[in-house]
């Protein structure tokens, strides 16, 4: 392999503080100009491959426009999930007012001047450097309870931070950690049930000395003895333990709940059973108007089923408010989904499998398939009460995600201080679980890094994609910038003139910019937002002046 210096563009093609994607020698490269210096990294996010040039620059960071992964444009290092890997970095030079980057090549076709690339491991994405495992180091392992987003992120960060001892992950699932966000969307829209999209391969865990024990159900945690018990009385002592067991689905307690073809959706197996049943069904009923319910409704409709949603109020009303919720309801209705608002399922009827759903209004809905999506509760039954919040049995942690000496918690089960308000919150977001896992792992190896991450989630239904940043459990008003009917807007959730959260459709770059302004504590007051549609990218770059809240 050799290195060839390839021209990218004239110096004046890109201004200071800008980034632009170029195709150089057959590969896409993101060129950034900052403080009159040039930097080049791979052009696509290591999560779902979004073009990063459509995101935003903030100080030394590039923020992905789709799901807000963040990377250093100087090094390509992943700074914030949900990206999995670093981005490849290229050396840059400037000669004769032209920007060049160094590309690894195997040979050059002199006649056509086409560079033939050397095969690169993982293409434009690079697995972060990890410590070589050495099981002789330390008597007790780092133990992770849970094989979801938080647990997997923690295991990787432990190795990235130089921990060489044993890492043991105990997961009640029988699959390796996978992308749970796809289950209610892309997975249910596919032609056949397949294995879930794994976050890492089995070879990855073997190579980096991460022992994943599947079908491992923890039954007790002894904080004083620093050990836990799982399955049939197996005991495992730990150096430190991360509790990341996630949620367990709520179930209805009504007649007929045990009939066949009534499902909840949490695990990959659930999605596989739903998809298999849907292929031989005509009518589906979804109980619940939250994110799982609405995503499942959209997916089943796209599979050709007649779909009816039962919900006590407007979809998403408790999270997004009535106006935005009605928009999603209309999008579904335009595609043929029917709604039964202000009602509840009273009973399921059938001989061995469900045939109909009886509503509390007395109406009966025919059904070949039912999906119950009414939320989750923390999976913390194995923990003692002094670790748990009495309201919902979430694990109470401090800003370092520590619950007790040598005990940490992350993801859906963690009740933590909201960095924006200081109030204790428990938030069930995939990206936040990844952030929790990364922070907790740092602190498990004796660092003191507080959680400062801003919550973010997304949903997609019938091609309509919403991004949401911040967190608001209650609000005084919702301020709309843009046009709801045109499906291009930002919705600001305001309490006491403070913007707690923002949802957006068709405004991905603005949401990315707002997430950075929230992180930097530079959001304006609601008063300064009302009546004007701010260009948030300009605001992030200091080109729009307003007084911070």
């Amino acid at each position: 392999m050799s290195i060839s210096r390839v021209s990218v563009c004239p110096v004046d093609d890109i201004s200071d503080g800008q980034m632009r994607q170029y195709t150089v020698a057959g590969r896409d490269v993101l060129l950034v100009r900052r403080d009159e210096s040039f930097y080049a990294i791979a052009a696509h996010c290591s999560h779902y491959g979004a073009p990063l040039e459509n995101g935003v620059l903030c100080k030394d960071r590039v923020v992905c426009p789709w799901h807000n992964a963040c990377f250093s444009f100087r090094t390509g290092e992943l700074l914030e999930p949900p990206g999995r890997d670093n981005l490849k970095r290229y050396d840059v030079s400037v000669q004769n007012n032209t920007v060049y980057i160094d590309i690894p090549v195997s040979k050059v076709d002199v006649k056509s001047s086409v560079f033939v690339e050397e095969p690169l491991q993982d293409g434009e994405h690079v697995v972060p450097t990890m410590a070589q495992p050495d099981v002789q180091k330390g008597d007790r392992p780092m133990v992770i309870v849970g094989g979801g987003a938080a647990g997997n992120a923690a295991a990787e960060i432990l190795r990235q931070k130089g921990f060489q001892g044993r890492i043991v992950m105990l997961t009640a699932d029988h699959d390796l950690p996978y992308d749970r966000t796809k289950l209610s969307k892309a997975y249910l829209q596919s032609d056949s049930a397949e294995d879930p999209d794994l976050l890492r391969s089995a070879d990855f865990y073997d190579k980096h000395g991460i022992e994943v024990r599947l079908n491992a159900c923890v039954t007790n945690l002894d904080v004083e003895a620093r050990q836990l018990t799982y399955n049939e009385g197996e005991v495992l002592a730990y150096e430190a333990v991360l509790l990341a067991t996630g949620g367990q689905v709520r179930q209805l307690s009504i007649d007929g709940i045990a009939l066949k073809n009534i499902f909840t959706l949490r695990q990959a197996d659930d999605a596989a059973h739903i998809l298999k049943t849907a292929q031989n069904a005509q009518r589906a009923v979804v109980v619940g108007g939250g994110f799982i319910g609405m995503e499942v409704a959209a997916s089943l409709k796209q599979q050709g089923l007649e779909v009816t949603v039962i919900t006590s109020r407007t979809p998403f009303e408790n999270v997004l408010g009535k106006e935005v919720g009605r928009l999603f309801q209309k999008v579904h209705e335009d595609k043929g989904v029917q709604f039964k608002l202000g009602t509840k399922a009273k009973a399921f009827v059938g001989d061995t499998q469900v045939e109909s759903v009886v509503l509390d209004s007395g109406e009966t809905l025919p059904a070949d398939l039912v999906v119950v999506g009414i939320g989750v509760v923390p999976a913390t039954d194995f923990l003692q009460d002094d670790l748990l919040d009495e309201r919902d049995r979430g694990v109470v942690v401090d800003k370092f995600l520590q619950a007790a000496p040598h005990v940490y918690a992350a993801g859906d089960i963690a009740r933590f201080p909201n960095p924006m308000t200081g109030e204790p919150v428990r938030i069930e977001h995939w990206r936040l679980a990844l952030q929790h896992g990364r922070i907790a792992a740092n602190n498990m190896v004796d660092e003191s890094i507080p959680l400062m991450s801003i919550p973010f989630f997304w949903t997609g239904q019938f091609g309509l994609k919403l991004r949401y940043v911040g967190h608001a459990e209650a609000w005084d008003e919702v301020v709309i910038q843009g046009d709801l009917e045109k499906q291009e807007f930002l919705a600001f959730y305001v309490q006491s003139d403070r913007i707690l959260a923002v949802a957006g459709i068709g405004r991905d770059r603005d949401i990315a910019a707002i997430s950075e302004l929230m992180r930097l504590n530079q959001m304006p007051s609601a008063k300064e937002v009302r009546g004007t549609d701010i260009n948030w990218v300009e605001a992030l770059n200091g080109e729009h002046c307003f007084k911070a809240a």
Side-chain angles (χ1 to χ4, degrees):
M1 184 184 73
S2 61
I3 300 296
S4 290
R5 188 153 292 170
V6 187
S7 64
V8 181
C9 65
V11 167
D12 294 338
D13 199 38
I14 180 170
S15 301
D16 196 64
Q18 289 187 334
M19 59 181 175
R20 183 174 297 177
Q21 178 177 317
Y22 295 87
T23 300
V24 181
R27 65 178 69 191
D28 293 332
V29 173
L30 185 72
L31 188 67
V32 178
R33 186 173 185 177
R34 175 71 84 189
D35 298 328
E36 298 307 326
S37 295
F38 291 89
Y39 306 87
I41 56 176
H44 299 103
C45 179
S46 58
H47 180 224
Y48 286 172
L52 294 173
E53 71 168 345
N54 294 336
V56 297
L57 280 176
C58 181
K59 299 186 183 297
D60 291 344
R61 297 155 61 100
V62 178
V63 184
C64 174
W66 288 1
H67 307 122
N68 280 35
C70 300
F71 303 88
S72 166
F73 63 72
R74 299 179 188 274
T75 66
E77 178 187 0
L78 173 67
L79 303 176
E80 292 276 4
R84 301 180 190 178
D85 295 321
N86 297 337
L87 303 180
K88 184 168 180 60
R89 183 189 68 84
Y90 302 93
D91 288 335
V92 183
S93 59
V94 176
Q95 299 175 12
N96 299 322
N97 290 317
T98 300
V99 180
Y100 293 85
I101 63 171
D102 290 345
I103 295 282
V105 297
S106 55
K107 63 181 180 179
V108 179
D109 184 332
V110 178
K111 293 182 179 180
S112 62
S113 297
V114 174
F115 292 86
V116 182
E117 302 177 39
E118 282 286 342
L120 296 172
Q121 183 179 5
D122 295 325
E124 62 180 350
H125 302 143
V126 181
V127 175
T129 301
M130 300 192 186
Q132 184 69 28
D134 183 352
V135 297
Q136 303 302 318
K137 291 200 171 184
D139 297 328
R140 298 174 180 236
M142 295 289 193
V143 175
I144 298 166
V145 183
N152 188 77
E156 294 193 28
I157 290 296
L158 286 172
R159 285 287 183 247
Q160 291 176 38
K161 300 302 293 186
F163 179 74
Q164 293 182 274
R166 288 178 63 204
I167 299 174
V168 179
M169 180 188 296
L170 304 174
T171 172
D173 210 326
H174 60 256
D175 291 304
L176 292 172
Y178 54 86
D179 188 343
R180 195 182 303 275
T181 66
K182 291 185 175 182
L183 296 183
S184 56
K185 297 187 280 289
Y187 191 99
L188 283 188
Q189 296 165 25
S190 60
D191 294 332
S192 60
E194 299 178 352
D195 292 336
D197 183 8
L198 298 181
L199 298 181
R200 296 293 191 186
S201 67
D203 289 343
F204 176 91
Y205 296 109
D206 289 341
K207 176 180 179 180
H208 298 293
I210 300 171
E211 304 171 38
V212 183
R213 301 185 186 179
L214 304 176
N215 304 303
C217 182
V218 176
T219 57
N220 183 64
L221 175 71
D222 188 331
V223 174
E224 296 298 325
R226 285 168 62 184
Q227 64 183 30
L228 54 79
T229 305
Y230 68 101
N231 288 358
E232 300 300 321
E234 295 181 69
V235 177
L236 182 62
Y238 58 79
E239 177 65 27
V241 62
L242 174 65
L243 307 173
T245 47
Q248 53 192 20
V249 294
R250 297 179 185 272
Q251 186 54 278
L252 292 172
S253 298
I254 60 176
D255 290 343
I257 190 63
L259 290 170
K260 293 181 180 178
N261 294 354
I262 299 175
F263 303 99
T264 55
L265 177 54
R266 183 66 180 176
Q267 308 292 345
D269 280 353
D270 301 330
H273 292 318
I274 293 170
L275 183 57
K276 182 177 180 180
T277 303
Q279 291 168 345
N280 296 297
Q282 293 182 336
R283 298 160 299 190
V285 172
V286 176
V287 181
F291 288 96
I292 291 297
M294 293 290 281
E295 289 173 359
V296 167
S299 295
L300 293 180
K301 187 62 185 177
Q302 288 170 262
Q303 289 285 9
L305 277 70
E306 299 175 18
V307 179
T308 302
V309 177
I310 301 170
T311 176
S312 59
R313 51 185 174 177
T314 303
F316 306 130
E317 182 177 337
N318 63 324
V319 177
L320 301 176
K322 279 191 176 182
E323 287 186 279
V324 179
R326 285 172 182 154
L327 167 63
F328 274 94
Q329 181 181 334
K330 184 178 185 304
V331 167
H332 277 249
E333 289 174 336
D334 288 346
K335 296 294 185 177
V337 177
Q338 297 183 25
F339 287 83
K340 297 297 179 180
L341 298 179
T343 60
K344 295 181 180 179
K346 184 178 180 180
F348 300 121
V349 178
D351 290 331
T352 59
Q353 67 184 42
V354 68
E355 297 174 7
S356 62
V357 181
V358 179
L359 305 183
D360 59 3
S361 64
E363 184 178 1
T364 298
L365 303 175
D368 307 310
L369 163 67
V370 172
V371 179
V372 178
I374 55 174
V376 301
V377 295
T380 56
D381 290 345
F382 66 98
L383 297 173
Q384 57 259 42
D385 289 345
D386 59 356
L387 292 176
L388 303 176
D389 184 88
E390 61 183 11
R391 289 166 289 186
D392 61 5
R393 296 187 65 78
V395 180
V396 180
V397 297
D398 62 17
K399 64 182 179 180
F400 303 107
L401 299 179
Q402 187 166 18
H406 310 287
V407 178
Y408 298 80
D412 291 1
I413 67 172
R415 181 167 288 276
F416 61 96
N418 185 344
M420 295 179 65
T421 65
E423 295 295 319
V425 292
R426 192 177 64 80
I427 302 175
E428 299 163 0
H429 295 172
W430 167 262
R431 179 177 182 260
L432 188 62
L434 291 165
Q435 292 168 313
H436 278 190
R438 292 168 63 90
I439 295 294
N442 276 278
N443 294 328
M444 289 169 73
V445 290
D446 297 326
E447 297 199 20
S448 295
I449 299 178
L451 177 70
M452 300 301 294
S453 304
I454 303 301
F456 173 91
F457 71 81
W458 68 93
T459 186
Q461 298 158 44
F462 295 116
L464 188 67
K465 300 183 184 301
L466 176 136
R467 323 289 185 199
Y468 179 106
V469 62
H471 182 69
E473 297 183 3
W475 53 84
D476 303 326
E477 64 174 321
V478 180
V479 177
I480 303 293
Q481 286 185 0
D483 193 318
L484 281 168
E485 291 187 4
K486 293 181 179 179
Q487 300 176 7
E488 186 175 341
F489 66 90
L490 296 173
F492 297 82
Y493 299 86
V494 177
Q495 189 172 58
S496 301
D497 202 42
R498 182 176 184 183
I499 298 169
L500 298 180
V502 185
I505 292 177
R507 300 284 291 271
D508 292 354
R509 289 194 76 201
D510 284 330
I511 287 289
I514 288 169
S515 71
E516 288 295 278
L517 288 167
M518 285 185 174
R519 180 180 67 86
L520 297 169
N521 195 27
Q522 293 179 1
M523 282 292 289
S525 68
K527 181 179 180 181
E528 292 174 281
V529 171
R530 292 187 190 95
T532 179
D533 195 346
I534 295 171
N535 183 317
W536 291 92
V537 176
E538 291 182 358
L540 181 62
N541 293 329
E543 298 172 26
H544 182 101
C545 296
F546 46 64
K547 186 183 297 183

